[in-house]
PDB file of all heavy atoms in Angstrom:
ATOM      1  N   ASN A 262     -43.768  -1.839  48.402  1.00  0.00           N
ATOM      2  CA  ASN A 262     -43.676  -3.293  48.224  1.00  0.00           C
ATOM      3  C   ASN A 262     -42.261  -3.817  48.416  1.00  0.00           C
ATOM      4  O   ASN A 262     -42.067  -5.008  48.631  1.00  0.00           O
ATOM      5  CB  ASN A 262     -44.252  -3.723  46.873  1.00  0.00           C
ATOM      6  CG  ASN A 262     -43.528  -3.135  45.675  1.00  0.00           C
ATOM      7  OD1 ASN A 262     -42.823  -2.138  45.774  1.00  0.00           O
ATOM      8  ND2 ASN A 262     -43.727  -3.737  44.514  1.00  0.00           N
ATOM      9  N   THR A 263     -41.265  -2.951  48.361  1.00  0.00           N
ATOM     10  CA  THR A 263     -39.888  -3.378  48.619  1.00  0.00           C
ATOM     11  C   THR A 263     -39.794  -4.129  49.934  1.00  0.00           C
ATOM     12  O   THR A 263     -39.135  -5.170  50.028  1.00  0.00           O
ATOM     13  CB  THR A 263     -38.946  -2.164  48.663  1.00  0.00           C
ATOM     14  OG1 THR A 263     -39.073  -1.426  47.447  1.00  0.00           O
ATOM     15  CG2 THR A 263     -37.506  -2.599  48.858  1.00  0.00           C
ATOM     16  N   THR A 264     -40.462  -3.618  50.958  1.00  0.00           N
ATOM     17  CA  THR A 264     -40.403  -4.231  52.287  1.00  0.00           C
ATOM     18  C   THR A 264     -41.698  -4.936  52.660  1.00  0.00           C
ATOM     19  O   THR A 264     -41.675  -5.889  53.446  1.00  0.00           O
ATOM     20  CB  THR A 264     -40.100  -3.157  53.352  1.00  0.00           C
ATOM     21  OG1 THR A 264     -41.065  -2.087  53.243  1.00  0.00           O
ATOM     22  CG2 THR A 264     -38.701  -2.569  53.143  1.00  0.00           C
ATOM     23  N   ALA A 265     -42.833  -4.498  52.120  1.00  0.00           N
ATOM     24  CA  ALA A 265     -44.125  -5.058  52.535  1.00  0.00           C
ATOM     25  C   ALA A 265     -44.389  -6.429  51.937  1.00  0.00           C
ATOM     26  O   ALA A 265     -45.056  -7.262  52.549  1.00  0.00           O
ATOM     27  CB  ALA A 265     -45.251  -4.093  52.168  1.00  0.00           C
ATOM     28  N   SER A 266     -43.888  -6.685  50.741  1.00  0.00           N
ATOM     29  CA  SER A 266     -44.168  -7.956  50.074  1.00  0.00           C
ATOM     30  C   SER A 266     -43.245  -9.061  50.569  1.00  0.00           C
ATOM     31  O   SER A 266     -42.051  -8.845  50.786  1.00  0.00           O
ATOM     32  CB  SER A 266     -43.996  -7.807  48.560  1.00  0.00           C
ATOM     33  OG  SER A 266     -44.137  -9.058  47.916  1.00  0.00           O
ATOM     34  N   LYS A 267     -43.806 -10.249  50.731  1.00  0.00           N
ATOM     35  CA  LYS A 267     -43.033 -11.444  51.076  1.00  0.00           C
ATOM     36  C   LYS A 267     -42.919 -12.385  49.871  1.00  0.00           C
ATOM     37  O   LYS A 267     -42.434 -13.498  50.003  1.00  0.00           O
ATOM     38  CB  LYS A 267     -43.707 -12.191  52.238  1.00  0.00           C
ATOM     39  CG  LYS A 267     -43.979 -11.330  53.466  1.00  0.00           C
ATOM     40  CD  LYS A 267     -42.706 -10.734  54.037  1.00  0.00           C
ATOM     41  CE  LYS A 267     -43.017  -9.895  55.283  1.00  0.00           C
ATOM     42  NZ  LYS A 267     -41.803  -9.192  55.788  1.00  0.00           N
ATOM     43  N   GLU A 268     -43.369 -11.898  48.705  1.00  0.00           N
ATOM     44  CA  GLU A 268     -43.453 -12.761  47.529  1.00  0.00           C
ATOM     45  C   GLU A 268     -42.436 -12.451  46.442  1.00  0.00           C
ATOM     46  O   GLU A 268     -42.239 -13.256  45.528  1.00  0.00           O
ATOM     47  CB  GLU A 268     -44.857 -12.662  46.917  1.00  0.00           C
ATOM     48  CG  GLU A 268     -45.964 -13.148  47.828  1.00  0.00           C
ATOM     49  CD  GLU A 268     -47.304 -13.215  47.115  1.00  0.00           C
ATOM     50  OE1 GLU A 268     -47.315 -13.464  45.899  1.00  0.00           O
ATOM     51  OE2 GLU A 268     -48.336 -13.005  47.786  1.00  0.00           O
ATOM     52  N   ILE A 269     -41.788 -11.309  46.502  1.00  0.00           N
ATOM     53  CA  ILE A 269     -40.964 -10.858  45.380  1.00  0.00           C
ATOM     54  C   ILE A 269     -39.695 -11.699  45.253  1.00  0.00           C
ATOM     55  O   ILE A 269     -38.877 -11.760  46.176  1.00  0.00           O
ATOM     56  CB  ILE A 269     -40.604  -9.371  45.517  1.00  0.00           C
ATOM     57  CG1 ILE A 269     -41.868  -8.518  45.525  1.00  0.00           C
ATOM     58  CG2 ILE A 269     -39.689  -8.953  44.368  1.00  0.00           C
ATOM     59  CD1 ILE A 269     -41.617  -7.038  45.756  1.00  0.00           C
ATOM     60  N   ILE A 270     -39.542 -12.328  44.106  1.00  0.00           N
ATOM     61  CA  ILE A 270     -38.354 -13.129  43.792  1.00  0.00           C
ATOM     62  C   ILE A 270     -37.421 -12.347  42.884  1.00  0.00           C
ATOM     63  O   ILE A 270     -36.195 -12.386  43.055  1.00  0.00           O
ATOM     64  CB  ILE A 270     -38.760 -14.461  43.144  1.00  0.00           C
ATOM     65  CG1 ILE A 270     -39.591 -15.285  44.133  1.00  0.00           C
ATOM     66  CG2 ILE A 270     -37.527 -15.260  42.681  1.00  0.00           C
ATOM     67  CD1 ILE A 270     -40.219 -16.528  43.523  1.00  0.00           C
ATOM     68  N   PHE A 271     -37.985 -11.609  41.930  1.00  0.00           N
ATOM     69  CA  PHE A 271     -37.174 -10.788  41.038  1.00  0.00           C
ATOM     70  C   PHE A 271     -37.970  -9.558  40.663  1.00  0.00           C
ATOM     71  O   PHE A 271     -39.137  -9.650  40.280  1.00  0.00           O
ATOM     72  CB  PHE A 271     -36.774 -11.569  39.786  1.00  0.00           C
ATOM     73  CG  PHE A 271     -35.972 -10.766  38.786  1.00  0.00           C
ATOM     74  CD1 PHE A 271     -34.813 -10.120  39.174  1.00  0.00           C
ATOM     75  CD2 PHE A 271     -36.389 -10.659  37.461  1.00  0.00           C
ATOM     76  CE1 PHE A 271     -34.070  -9.372  38.262  1.00  0.00           C
ATOM     77  CE2 PHE A 271     -35.652  -9.924  36.535  1.00  0.00           C
ATOM     78  CZ  PHE A 271     -34.489  -9.281  36.941  1.00  0.00           C
ATOM     79  N   ALA A 272     -37.337  -8.388  40.807  1.00  0.00           N
ATOM     80  CA  ALA A 272     -37.998  -7.124  40.504  1.00  0.00           C
ATOM     81  C   ALA A 272     -36.959  -6.105  40.067  1.00  0.00           C
ATOM     82  O   ALA A 272     -35.767  -6.227  40.372  1.00  0.00           O
ATOM     83  CB  ALA A 272     -38.747  -6.602  41.729  1.00  0.00           C
ATOM     84  N   ARG A 273     -37.425  -5.099  39.369  1.00  0.00           N
ATOM     85  CA  ARG A 273     -36.603  -3.915  39.117  1.00  0.00           C
ATOM     86  C   ARG A 273     -36.917  -2.960  40.237  1.00  0.00           C
ATOM     87  O   ARG A 273     -38.014  -2.392  40.311  1.00  0.00           O
ATOM     88  CB  ARG A 273     -36.939  -3.303  37.754  1.00  0.00           C
ATOM     89  CG  ARG A 273     -36.069  -2.093  37.387  1.00  0.00           C
ATOM     90  CD  ARG A 273     -34.615  -2.448  37.278  1.00  0.00           C
ATOM     91  NE  ARG A 273     -33.856  -1.338  36.693  1.00  0.00           N
ATOM     92  CZ  ARG A 273     -32.584  -1.103  36.940  1.00  0.00           C
ATOM     93  NH1 ARG A 273     -31.908  -1.892  37.767  1.00  0.00           N
ATOM     94  NH2 ARG A 273     -31.963  -0.093  36.356  1.00  0.00           N
TER      95      ARG A 273
END
Side-chain angles (χ1 to χ4, degrees):
N262 61 340
T263 304
T264 54
S266 174
K267 306 301 181 185
E268 297 188 31
I269 299 176
I270 297 171
F271 178 54
R273 183 62 170 152

